Amino acid sequence: ALSRDFRAVNRLIELLDDVESVRRSAAEALSRYGSSVLPLFEESLSSGSVNVQRQLLEIVRLTGWPGLDAKPFLGRIVMNIYNDLIAAGALETAPEMDSVAPLYRHLRERIQENLHLVFLTLWITHADMRLAYRGIHSMKAPVAVELLETSLDAEESAWLIPLVDSLPEEERINRGRLLFPLQRKDSPQSTLARLCRDDDPLTRLLALCVIGRLYAAEHFYPLAQRRSGDADPHVRLASSYCMKRCLRQEVTMPSIIHLVSVLGGFDLFRGMGIRELRAVASVTREMRYTAGSVIAGSGQPPGGLYLITAGRVAGRDAHGAAVHTISGGASFGEIGLFAEREDDHEYVALEDTTALMVRAEHFIEIIKLYPLVGLNLCRYFADRLHRAGAAP
């Protein structure tokens, strides 16, 4: 068992190293084209996802290309941060905070995502910007402000200093409104209507669910209907939910919202944001087993990761003897994700059991996109190895 744990950890480290090596290989390959590809990068920065934008900025920094006109991108990201500050503040006045909690948390996380993008962008041409970003998160705001004032032009520093200085949030928003054409109405309803038109599909999904839950009325029906042809399938489901609620029909909220909440309670996904949890939820299947059912059989290739949400499961060895019991909130199948060999245990439901299952190939892709999942698994295996080494 110890050797399997070590092999799993080594495989995880290889996967995480692959992310960095791919980025460096891309930088080396693209650097051969020189600055002629910069217009393509500038266009991709405008249209790509957060993850794509982050990787592109890292590639541009690694190539050391001169001439990137990042100021339009920078200004747009900073304006988005101020708008999200306004939106998060408006949602704090909603009648049921529990119902808006996923959207509120997502906006707060997106503010940090975009702030990270801002400093990645500045780091391309200002080496000390990494120190400024660290200063923000180490409670040394004056250091960050000083670096911004001395390194950036007056316009850029005016954009950013309110976001990194130790100011009340209302003061930050007021300064932002002097600089950018920001949202003026800050009621929850007007904020949600704007977020339903957001470029980010996750934001649209969450906003539609909040409207359907808290503000369902006929005047919101056309807004929800316009999202019925959305490119994102989960947004389309949220649109259908919202429209039916606006017509006073009984309907349950899209299951992905429930899955995001449940996944966040497992240690494997500790520290993950709403965006990352949504990515895992999108490839997760909810499975139900009656008492006595075999969930995963001995000698079979590992099917994936199983997260027990209700019930109990017995892990049995090749002789049928119970080795351990897995209850709600725990998981099994982690080793099979990386060991590339058959599992010698059989897992049987001791009572009616519900589990979330993520197939191995999907989980590997999630780790490549969101390395924090891999780091959480490394901690998990480290704890197992420590307990095994401490056992008498």
Side-chain angles (χ1 to χ4, degrees), residues 310-339:
R312 291 184 305 133
V313 175
R316 297 174 178 172
D317 62 20
H319 304 289
V323 177
H324 58 285
T325 301
I326 306 158
S327 302
S331 59
F332 68 89
E334 300 91 349
I335 296 294
L337 296 172
F338 310 101

Side-chain angles (χ1 to χ4, degrees), residues 193-228:
R194 179 177 66 82
L195 294 177
C196 283
R197 302 187 299 272
D198 197 274
D199 291 339
D200 175 34
L202 176 56
T203 305
R204 300 195 297 271
L205 162 67
L206 295 172
L208 285 165
C209 287
V210 173
I211 291 173
R213 178 69 182 272
L214 295 183
Y215 299 104
E218 289 185 4
H219 64 271
F220 270 123
Y221 184 91
L223 183 147
Q225 188 180 39
R226 282 194 289 272
R227 302 262 57 104
S228 61

Side-chain angles (χ1 to χ4, degrees), residues 51 61 156 218:
N51 193 49
R61 183 182 63 80
E156 290 175 339
E218 289 185 4

